[in-house]
Every structure is written in structure tokens, then in C-alpha cells.
Amino acid sequence: MYSELISEFSGQPVVDYDDAESWKGPAKAYRLREEYDDERKIAERLESLLEQPGADQITALIIGAWTGACEGSDSKEIVELIAGAADRLPSLKALFFGEMTFEECEISWINQSDVSPLLEAFPKLETFRVRGGSALSFLRTAHQSLRELGVETGGLSRSTIREIFLCDFPALKHLELQLGEANYGFDGSVEDLQPLLEGSLFPKLRYLGLTNSEIANDIAAVVVNSPIAERVATIDLSLGNLDSEGVESLKGLSGNRNLETLIISHYYASPEQVVSLKASLPFEVIAEDPQEPEDEWRPIVHAE
Amino acid sequence: MALVQDKITLVGNAHSRRVQGFVAAAAREGCAVDIVSYVDAISGRCPPPTGGVVRLDSPGEDAEAYRAILRAGIEPLRMAGGEPLGRDGLERLKFARGAMLYPRQWYFGFRQTLHQLTIDWSAPRIRWMSTPTAVSTTFDKLACLERWSNLPTPHRFPQVWSYAELREAVKQRHARLFLKLRYGYAAMGAVALEWRDGNVRAITTVETCVEGGAAKLYVSKKPQVLRREAEIAWLVDRLAAEELVIEEWLPKARWLGRPFDVRAIVIGGEVQHAVGRANASPFTNLNLNADRISRDDLMRYLGERWPRMTELCVAAARELPDAGMLGIDVLVRPGGKEFALLEANAFGDYLPGLLHHGLSTWDAEVRWLRSLKELAA
């Protein structure tokens, strides 16, 4: 679970923006968030931010917790608010929508909505991250400059996965899908990932992240022989429940000539199995955060 | 001219680092310290001091002192309508690191012990650094908060004796509550509880272990997250039997993305040391591995509002005037513009390595004691 808010985003230090006093020039990643019971809403904070001299040069923005994020209403209103400010944020290159800790709102409690209006409103956007999979949608959209997409969820539904695969992101280099677990909304299987694994989507893709998954072993088994593995530099299967079975499958990447890095951090395989994996692969293997192989529950990192 | 404060009697655990820290600080100033254990103080085995300063220190890290204090709590707890663990049970009681054992009985025993000391140690030339009454008041969180009724504190809800009663008493569809043991210390038995419609979640410092068929509660350094209501209800029921203080769970300002609060050391009515405590959980106690934020960084963060924070601590300490030293915990609201008092700690000076003007908390306390002119003999 996410217990801390980030202090850097898109290469810039994060500043929580409350009012004019918080303004530190445009070279910061400003975060707009509301506390529980906050009288000052994100809309007011945004308005104040946009009034600052040089606000039109802001390149990175974070939208944190908003009132009602976890209650009945979805994120539509706040999506519209941010999208509506696009002409006053012409330089925006990085947007993180919904960055909140589990203490503020459990990841599965965050009520998202269709976020494609954000992509459409900011044609120069290069990085888009979103947290929360409930009701999350990417209604078929196209974006010419998006390079990095991160979808952080405790459970990503197959319909959202399908929507993402139907989007046209010709410049996309970095894709990270936190798939989550069935208890919190993941209802897919490796079959649902086939369009991506087949390699015809996202022609510029270099970083393939299928993370935070409770079917990490299944993914490992199919990714090794997938066409996409033949053209990316990084495969990231971290944060999930990969164990010895998955690690054994990943040895099948030994003949891969383009991969530079495989990430399996947060794994349930034994140290010996990881040593053996590293020995059999001709590229870097990042295996941090070892978990107890005997753990019968094998939790993934971000669920609930 | 001899000073009364040249001689200090300390009640505490001679083997604890906190007592050793104080003794070393006193030695640097040329003061001798006589250490009396709580067990001896309770039994009356040691002769009462005839004069000088008396410092009460923590009875912690001493199983026999804990047992003696629990024993002293049997009668007072029974008088208060509680059901104490009796003498036989006490003799069989096994102590384990972090175990939460009868905190309410412990408080009643501690208060009784301190009360007895004021009677037994009543020589006119004794000066208490903090009086026994002041010390026992700080161990009753509710009593402290009531003394601060004119100062900013989190909104408080009436006491309840069960989870069901709590849900009944707090009718909001969405609530964020902070539950603390009324007589707990060092984050023992703290629960950050939230419910929104059908969802309920508790983050707590309590870890439950089943041993020999019985569930026992421990203080956990890693916050535990409970998401099943039955589990939460069970825990709240257990804690409520020891008496709770229920406050709204106020958001805190953040330091590098993590919530923090401030521990300010008030010595003789002045804020001296101050340390921010940032943790990636609702619990910022340093014994739960929170990171320290320096006084200088805090001053920079709060800017012109720094004096308001320190004045609030001084005002809080003024409500406990017989305490020579207090560790005041202050919540900084998001944005750093408002504050709320959380609690006072009579033994809140255990901050090894923390210096202010080159002095440790203990150095500063000894200096203060020696500066008290009215004590000149």
C-alpha cells in the first residue's frame, strides 16, 4: 500500500500548494490536495495556483486526495475541473491524477471515472499516472505525445485493460499496469493481456510493466515467448506474488537479445532460485524486497 | 553556598539508559544522584530523603517495578469499580517485551504509589522537580485534555465501553477517529479508525497474538491494518475495557510526504528542545521508528508561526504548573497554520543525542534546577 506521498515527480521536487504563500516558481511539481474535512477545495487551490506569475510554465502537476474521493461521487467533476484549466497550463508535461496514501483513502476506495478527457485536454502531456482502479476508464482515445503511462490499482478490471489497449498512443515508451487482485476488482487473466503481448500495440514501447499482480506466475509463463518481449528493453513483473514457478518460467528469456533489464522485486521465490535465474540470463535482473517463500497468503503490494 | 539542588534523589530504574543519561548530566554539573528503585520506594525500604531535589523518572524496563505498581493498583481499581488482577494472578504474570498488561490497573497503581510518596517523603526541604500529582496527571490523558479545555485540542467524543456503543455514539456516515488508551503511553493501544458507508478500516499499534488459547495484545512497531469489522470490533472492545480517549483523527502537516507532529520539551516553563517526528503512519512516536526533524528545520517550516507553536506549549505546561519538565506533543495542521495539543509526557525527555545549544535534555534540566535561586540553602 502507498503510505507516503511522493516528494519528487517528473524530475522536480513536489510542493503542496495551499495558497500564494506556497508558490515557489514554475520549476516545481505542485500537488493539489484536500485534507479530510478541508474547507479549501482543490478548485480554489487550483485557481490560486493558476494566478501565480509564471504558472503557465508549470510542467508537472499532481492531484491528490479530494473530498469524496472515497465516497459515492466519482472523479468526473475533478477530471472536468483539471481538463477545464488546460488552456492556462499550456506547458504541462506530467500529470499524476489521484495520488493519495492508503491513510487518506484506500486504493480500492478511490472512485475514478473516465480519465480520457485529461489526455485530450493536454495534448503535450508526456507522462500520465493515475491511482485507483474502481470505475476507471480510458474511453477510446488517441494521444500523440504520451510517453509514459502508469495505472496504479489494487484491482484493474478487464474492461479497463481492454480500453487502454484500444487507445492509440504511438509515442508510448513506458507502460506500467498494476493489475491488482480479484478481491479488489481484477477480473482478468493472461488472455486479456494478449493484445499487448502480441506486440502490435504501442510501437515505441521500451518498458513493459505488468506489476502488482496476483497472477504474476501466469504472466511470467506467457511473457517469455511473447512477441512484445522481443522488442522491449525492460520487463517489470515487480510488486506481485511471483514465486519459484514464475522464476523458473523466466529462465526462458535466456535467448532474448534485446532485453536489458528484468525486474522481479517483491518476490516469493527462494534466494537460491533467484541466483540461478540471474546466472541463466544475459542481462540485468533486479530482485529486491524478497518475501517469505513459505508465506501461504503471498500478498501483493498494493491491494485493499 | 550549598544549594539544595546539589543533591538529587531519583526514583527510577538505575539500569535504564534514561536514568544513566540523567545521572551523567548531573555529574557534569557536579551534582550527586541517589537512585531509589520504584520497588524500594513502594516498600518503604529506603529512608526518605531529608532534603534536596527529587526527580521521578520512568519506572519502565523493570518487570518487578511493574508488578509492584500493578499490586498497588489492586485496591484503587476495585474502589473505582474495576476488576483488578489479584495478587495470585500478579505473581504468575509473565512479562514480555511490548506486552500490554493491565494499563488501567497500572495507572491506578502508579497514582497510588506516587500519592504514597508525597506522604512518606514530606520533609520540608524536599523540592520535587515535578510533583507526584503532576506526574500522575500526565499519565491520565483525559485529565490533561480537560485541563486544556481553553486551548486547541482535537474534538473529543464521549467515552464508550464497546465498538457497538461507539458506532451508536458517532452517527456520521464517514468518520475518522483516533482512539487512545486513557492511561496508555508510548503509543500503546492507539487506533486510527475510519469508516465510510460500508467500509471500515483501523490502523493500530496493537498486534494480537494468540498464546495458549488466549489472545494477547502487544505494541507493534509496524502499524497493523485491520479491515474486517469483526476484528476491529473485537480490538476496540478489548481496549475500551481499559478506558479510551476518543478524538477526531485530525490530518497532520507533512514533511517530505509524511505526516509529522512536534515533541517540545518545556523546562521550567520554557520551550527548549523541539523535535519533529515524521512517520509513514498515523503514529509518530519515535519508539515506532519515526524520523526526527530538527528544531531548525521545524523553525524554517513554521516561519513566523513558530512562536505561536512554542507559546501554545508554554500555555499547555502552565496548566500543569507543578511539572518542572514536560514533553508536549503538538499536532501541526496541514499548511502549518494551526495547532492542536495532543498530550503531555512527564517522562518525555528521553531524546538521546538531541542537543539544543549544545545541551541534552538532561543537561538542560540540571542547568535549570541549578538556576533556581529560591532553592539556595
Side-chain angles (χ1 to χ4, degrees):
Chain A
M1 57 202 177
Y2 291 101
S3 53
E4 297 180 31
L5 294 172
I6 54 176
S7 47
E8 195 192 285
F9 179 54
S10 189
Q12 292 179 331
V14 174
V15 173
D16 282 310
Y17 188 87
D18 288 316
D19 51 31
E21 237 179 273
S22 326
W23 176 250
K24 301 281 184 293
K28 303 280 185 235
Y30 287 97
R31 177 166 46 216
L32 304 174
R33 51 187 286 278
E34 290 167 22
E35 295 291 347
Y36 163 67
D37 269 0
D38 208 325
E39 282 164 18
R40 195 167 163 81
K41 301 297 171 199
I42 283 182
E44 293 165 66
R45 288 187 163 93
L46 176 65
E47 190 50 42
S48 166
L49 176 67
L50 295 176
E51 282 164 5
Q52 302 310 312
D56 58 344
Q57 292 157 50
I58 290 173
T59 61
L61 187 68
I62 302 171
I63 305 302
W66 57 84
T67 311
C70 315
E71 286 157 290
S73 55
D74 67 19
S75 65
K76 185 160 182 273
E77 200 178 314
I78 200 120
V79 165
E80 284 170 357
L81 174 76
I82 306 304
D87 58 338
R88 298 164 75 188
L89 289 165
S91 311
L92 197 70
K93 288 198 158 43
L95 176 63
F96 191 161
F97 187 73
E99 196 225 352
M100 44 195 109
T101 65
F102 83 105
E103 185 196 310
E104 293 177 294
C105 183
E106 298 272 9
I107 194 165
S108 67
W109 295 3
I110 305 171
N111 287 310
Q112 282 292 358
S113 62
D114 176 21
V115 291
S116 53
L118 291 171
L119 295 174
E120 283 154 19
F122 295 97
K124 287 193 192 156
L125 208 62
E126 293 179 0
T127 299
F128 181 66
R129 295 192 79 82
V130 60
R131 184 170 297 168
S134 304
L136 180 67
S137 171
F138 284 77
L139 279 188
R140 198 165 187 162
T141 186
H143 198 287
Q144 300 308 308
S145 54
L146 191 71
R147 284 156 202 246
E148 181 179 334
L149 175 64
V151 182
E152 305 178 351
T153 82
L156 190 59
S157 80
R158 65 206 303 178
S159 70
T160 311
I161 294 171
R162 210 169 290 153
E163 285 174 355
I164 294 168
F165 293 167
L166 286 171
C167 290
D168 182 21
F169 298 142
L172 195 71
K173 290 174 83 166
H174 180 119
L175 174 67
E176 198 187 326
L177 300 178
Q178 291 185 2
L179 299 169
E181 62 174 61
N183 289 334
Y184 299 96
F186 176 69
D187 56 359
S189 67
V190 285
E191 270 77 68
D192 297 288
L193 302 173
Q194 280 308 327
L196 177 65
L197 299 176
E198 276 165 13
S200 49
L201 306 174
F202 317 131
K204 294 249 175 81
L205 201 68
R206 300 282 290 155
Y207 187 110
L208 172 69
L210 296 168
T211 64
N212 194 41
S213 174
E214 64 169 352
I215 59 161
N217 290 329
D218 297 353
I219 295 172
V222 295
V223 83
V224 286
N225 295 314
S226 67
I228 194 86
E230 298 297 324
R231 65 174 176 83
V232 294
T234 303
I235 292 178
D236 180 358
L237 303 179
S238 63
L239 311 178
N241 65 353
L242 194 79
D243 63 18
S244 56
E245 183 192 326
V247 164
E248 200 54 39
S249 304
L250 290 171
K251 288 182 182 168
L253 289 168
S254 60
N256 188 296
R257 292 287 163 260
N258 52 285
L259 268 178
E260 292 162 14
T261 312
L262 170 69
I263 308 171
I264 62 164
S265 301
H266 192 272
Y267 59 87
Y268 292 89
S270 70
E272 296 75 28
Q273 287 163 323
V274 172
V275 168
S276 149
L277 175 69
K278 285 182 174 174
S280 66
L281 297 181
F283 45 82
E284 185 190 21
V285 176
I286 298 175
E288 290 165 0
D289 198 11
Q291 301 296 304
E292 178 49 58
E294 302 303 316
D295 185 332
E296 44 172 329
W297 297 101
R298 301 200 173 173
I300 61 173
V301 174
H302 306 295
E304 313 294 355
Chain B
M1 186 165 61
L3 297 174
V4 171
Q5 55 268 49
D6 279 346
K7 183 172 165 288
I8 300 175
T9 304
L10 183 152
V11 187
N13 174 2
H15 305 292
S16 73
R17 279 165 298 175
R18 57 169 68 235
V19 168
Q20 286 166 4
F22 183 83
V23 169
R28 281 193 285 278
E29 289 286 318
C31 300
V33 181
D34 282 339
I35 302 171
V36 177
S37 73
Y38 272 91
V39 171
D40 285 347
I42 291 169
S43 68
R45 259 200 297 274
C46 63
T50 53
V53 169
V54 181
R55 171 181 168 92
L56 296 167
D57 216 320
S58 168
E61 299 172 57
D62 178 347
E64 288 320 305
Y66 202 97
R67 201 189 304 275
I69 290 169
L70 283 179
R71 201 180 292 118
I74 295 175
E75 267 320 300
L77 181 57
R78 186 170 291 138
M79 299 284 280
E83 288 169 27
L85 177 69
R87 282 171 187 277
D88 293 347
L90 268 174
E91 294 318 312
R92 286 196 302 274
L93 194 60
K94 285 198 180 65
F95 295 89
R97 206 178 160 72
M100 290 171 53
L101 298 167
Y102 309 94
R104 190 164 172 239
Q105 182 170 347
W106 184 89
Y107 169 77
F108 277 90
F110 192 46
R111 193 179 62 181
Q112 174 62 32
T113 300
L114 295 180
H115 178 67
Q116 192 59 46
L117 269 188
T118 53
I119 296 167
D120 296 346
W121 294 14
S122 56
R125 283 163 53 80
I126 283 182
R127 156 91 193 208
W128 296 93
M129 193 177 145
S130 295
T131 64
T133 312
V135 171
S136 58
T137 304
T138 65
F139 275 81
D140 178 351
K141 290 196 170 75
L142 185 59
C144 264
L145 290 164
E146 282 172 348
R147 291 204 178 193
W148 294 336
S149 56
N150 292 321
L151 297 171
T153 56
H155 172 74
R156 208 158 56 245
F157 295 89
Q159 200 173 26
V160 298
W161 296 97
S162 71
Y163 179 75
E165 215 184 306
L166 178 66
R167 289 303 299 251
E168 185 61 33
V170 183
K171 296 225 181 284
Q172 286 113 282
R173 258 183 51 231
H174 175 192
R176 281 167 60 97
L177 306 173
F178 210 94
L179 281 51
K180 302 173 182 175
L181 286 184
R182 178 173 172 182
Y183 308 117
Y185 48 87
M188 177 193 282
V191 183
L193 176 65
E194 173 165 17
W195 64 73
R196 303 176 191 245
D197 298 320
N199 290 317
V200 53
R201 192 261 326 263
I203 311 170
T204 176
T205 60
V206 183
E207 190 171 4
T208 308
C209 298
V210 178
E211 290 159 22
K216 297 198 172 147
L217 306 185
Y218 289 85
V219 178
S220 162
K221 275 195 190 278
K222 189 172 169 252
Q224 309 288 310
V225 185
L226 308 180
R227 295 181 174 91
R228 283 201 297 273
E229 191 163 24
E231 233 178 344
I232 293 167
W234 181 88
L235 177 65
V236 172
D237 288 352
R238 278 285 294 255
L239 298 175
E242 297 285 341
E243 288 195 64
L244 289 172
V245 170
I246 302 162
E247 294 174 334
E248 70 181 312
W249 174 12
L250 288 177
K252 296 186 178 93
R254 284 169 190 269
W255 179 262
L256 299 176
R258 297 186 304 166
F260 76 94
D261 62 11
V262 177
R263 160 70 55 93
I265 303 299
V266 182
I267 300 172
E270 266 176 58
V271 172
Q272 299 226 6
H273 303 67
V275 61
R277 311 179 301 175
N279 212 352
S281 91
F283 315 109
T284 49
N285 305 63
L286 294 171
N287 63 327
L288 302 182
N289 300 334
D291 283 336
R292 291 181 180 186
I293 307 167
S294 75
R295 181 183 159 117
D296 285 349
D297 282 339
L298 286 174
M299 286 178 79
R300 261 192 297 278
Y301 181 95
L302 291 173
E304 60 191 17
R305 294 180 287 266
W306 168 261
R308 281 187 38 209
M309 199 275 294
T310 55
E311 281 157 22
L312 178 60
C313 294
V314 169
R318 212 177 286 135
E319 301 299 327
L320 294 153
D322 299 325
M325 186 285 303
L326 285 169
I328 304 282
D329 293 347
V330 189
L331 182 144
V332 182
R333 304 286 297 263
K337 289 170 195 155
E338 286 176 68
F339 306 96
L341 291 167
L342 298 175
E343 54 187 74
N345 304 271
F347 305 143
D349 56 355
Y350 184 62
L351 295 164
L354 186 74
L355 302 182
H356 178 53
H357 296 322
L359 300 179
S360 71
T361 51
W362 301 304
D363 290 327
E365 288 167 59
V366 175
R367 289 261 176 115
W368 168 71
L369 281 172
R370 291 183 62 83
S371 73
L372 294 174
K373 296 213 170 42
E374 79 270 24
L375 291 187

